[in-house]
Amino acid sequence: MTNSPDSPWIVLKFGGTSVSSVTNWKSVAGVLRSRLEAGLRPVVVHSALSGITDRLEQLLEKALSGDWEPVMAQIEQRHRDLASDLGIGELPELDQYFTELRRTASGIHLIGEVSDRLRARVMATGELMATTLGAAFLASEGLDVHWLDARSLLEATERPGASERASFLSAACNFEPDPALQQRLADIGKVFVTQGFIARDARGDTVLLGRGGSDTSGAYLAAKLGARQFEIWTDVPGMFTANPHTVPSARLLRSLDYDEAQEISSSGAKVLHPRCILPVKQYAIPLSVHSTVMPEVEGTVVTATGGDGDARVKAVCTK
Ligand code: ADP
Ligand code: ASP
Ligand code: MG
């Protein structure tokens, strides 16, 4: 099965640091404008603000002892500060998420335990809050943007025998091409913003795709939409021979095939979530990796024929 090079759909995934500052959001808006000018229909999938998923985990731990308000205040402040920097004012939806988190933390303190189901719901709030800000900013930039709840787009696969923990916190989803979804979106707008990391299960409960799973959300949507391209926008300008933050001499890998990219991500290179390759490989959708702070750098392109076939070592990773 191959992708359609004429497809209007393009999925762009932005990670935590890419959505945490005004400068980066201006870069996101610029990338979207250029895709619209090329006649494409962009679907943005993005993560929580950097560090917020960790804070939400901390909120759950602190809720047990009752000392959760300082962490909650930090979470709230980060979002209020970014909203104010982005010039988008008060957002009632954001207040609702803060209220819900406080209510849940009080409940956890009373009950004295956190179920995996509740953990997934609380941690999903990071992406829900961030995309609320992101969509409001892109609208303020004049883009015809629609916010979508990823739980109405992605459904977890039933895995008989999977533990409750894996089902709620490390789910995998169906990614067959979905013409009805393509039609539904084509009918409602031009630019879409949705959450990475989250999906629903067969009962409609919120589930997570595992830490770092937003890359995989993007890949699932690219497959379902039959996208012509899946772009990952992050804080480094592509995949390198080693982590460029710890190995400054690491070299940028311009072109890889799916199996090489899979090997690098499965051996621990955090730049790609290991489950994000299969959906794009299965439908031969080109995957590229770019830097939000240096959008002009070409980055890495992963395709079926990308690698040069040499047996030499392409990358070194540590876990
Ligand atoms: P995002 O929040 O955008 O998903 P991540 O932190 O998950 O970003 O992934 C990007 C990070 O992956 C980089 O900042 C880098 O430190 C790390 N990384 C590890 N190995 C590699 C590699 N081989 N090439 C590029 N980045 C790598
Ligand atoms: N926000 C989630 C995490 O920190 C998902 C992601 O960033 O990909 O794990
Ligand atoms: Mg990541």
Side-chain angles (χ1 to χ4, degrees):
M1 186 81 124
T2 56
N3 82 312
S4 122
D6 300 327
S7 166
W9 299 105
I10 177 160
V11 176
L12 304 97
K13 179 264 173 176
F14 294 87
T17 49
S18 299
V19 297
S20 291
S21 70
V22 181
T23 320
N24 284 348
W25 268 110
K26 293 235 150 106
S27 175
V28 176
V31 171
L32 293 178
R33 280 196 196 95
S34 77
R35 298 300 179 272
L36 286 169
E37 278 160 19
L40 299 173
R41 291 178 174 276
V43 176
V44 173
V45 175
H46 77 79
S47 300
L49 308 191
S50 59
I52 288 297
T53 311
D54 290 340
R55 287 280 165 284
L56 289 166
E57 263 192 316
Q58 224 181 345
L59 180 74
L60 290 165
E61 300 326 314
K62 296 283 183 188
L64 290 169
S65 60
D67 178 28
W68 49 267
E69 181 51 37
V71 182
M72 185 56 224
Q74 280 179 28
I75 294 171
E76 180 170 347
Q77 201 55 49
R78 270 292 295 288
H79 291 85
R80 288 202 187 285
D81 287 349
L82 182 60
S84 134
D85 292 350
L86 291 170
I88 49 180
E90 297 285 310
L91 294 174
E93 306 96 301
L94 215 48
D95 290 334
Q96 279 172 21
Y97 290 125
F98 300 147
T99 304
E100 176 79 19
L101 283 175
R102 286 199 162 84
R103 225 180 258 151
T104 308
S106 303
I108 290 170
H109 181 52
L110 277 176
I111 298 164
E113 65 180 38
V114 190
S115 65
D116 295 320
R117 180 167 175 262
L118 194 54
R119 182 173 291 275
R121 253 176 53 199
V122 166
M123 289 175 66
T125 315
E127 270 66 10
L128 291 165
M129 294 187 291
T131 50
T132 301
L133 285 178
F137 172 71
L138 294 174
S140 78
E141 288 278 297
L143 292 163
D144 176 16
V145 58
H146 288 258
W147 183 93
L148 299 169
D149 189 323
R151 294 167 296 187
S152 73
L153 306 172
L154 295 180
E155 181 170 344
T157 325
E158 296 275 352
R159 285 183 297 175
S163 67
E164 181 171 296
R165 191 171 181 81
S167 303
F168 279 111
L169 306 181
S170 179
C173 296
N174 298 308
F175 55 84
E176 288 83 44
D178 186 345
L181 175 65
Q182 295 170 32
Q183 191 56 52
R184 173 154 78 90
L185 299 193
D187 288 345
I188 58 176
K190 288 219 160 57
V191 181
F192 300 90
V193 171
T194 193
Q195 308 76 44
F197 190 44
I198 75 173
R200 71 171 188 284
D201 65 12
R203 280 171 309 192
D205 282 332
T206 302
V207 299
L208 306 178
L209 308 188
R211 294 302 305 268
S214 295
D215 301 334
T216 299
S217 304
Y220 288 150
L221 285 171
K224 288 179 81 107
L225 292 169
R228 85 163 57 186
Q229 172 97 10
F230 173 40
E231 301 180 353
I232 294 206
W233 291 82
T234 182
D235 61 351
V236 288
M239 294 181 81
F240 285 72
T241 49
N243 185 344
H245 286 139
T246 50
V247 183
S249 61
R251 280 184 307 109
L252 176 64
L253 295 159
R254 295 296 305 280
S255 156
L256 292 171
D257 66 35
Y258 294 115
D259 295 337
E260 289 170 333
Q262 181 69 64
E263 213 168 293
I264 295 172
S265 72
S266 301
S267 357
K270 199 180 160 220
V271 60
L272 290 185
H273 189 252
R275 283 192 192 158
C276 82
I277 314 284
L278 177 67
V280 287
K281 178 183 174 185
Q282 190 157 320
Y283 296 105
I285 299 170
L287 178 162
S288 54
V289 183
H290 312 264
S291 156
T292 310
V293 278
M294 290 182 273
E296 64 294 342
V297 177
E298 251 176 67
T300 302
V301 177
V302 183
T303 58
T305 53
D308 58 13
D310 281 5
R312 70 196 156 82
V313 174
K314 281 264 164 78
V316 178
C317 312
T318 51
K319 222 170 193 172

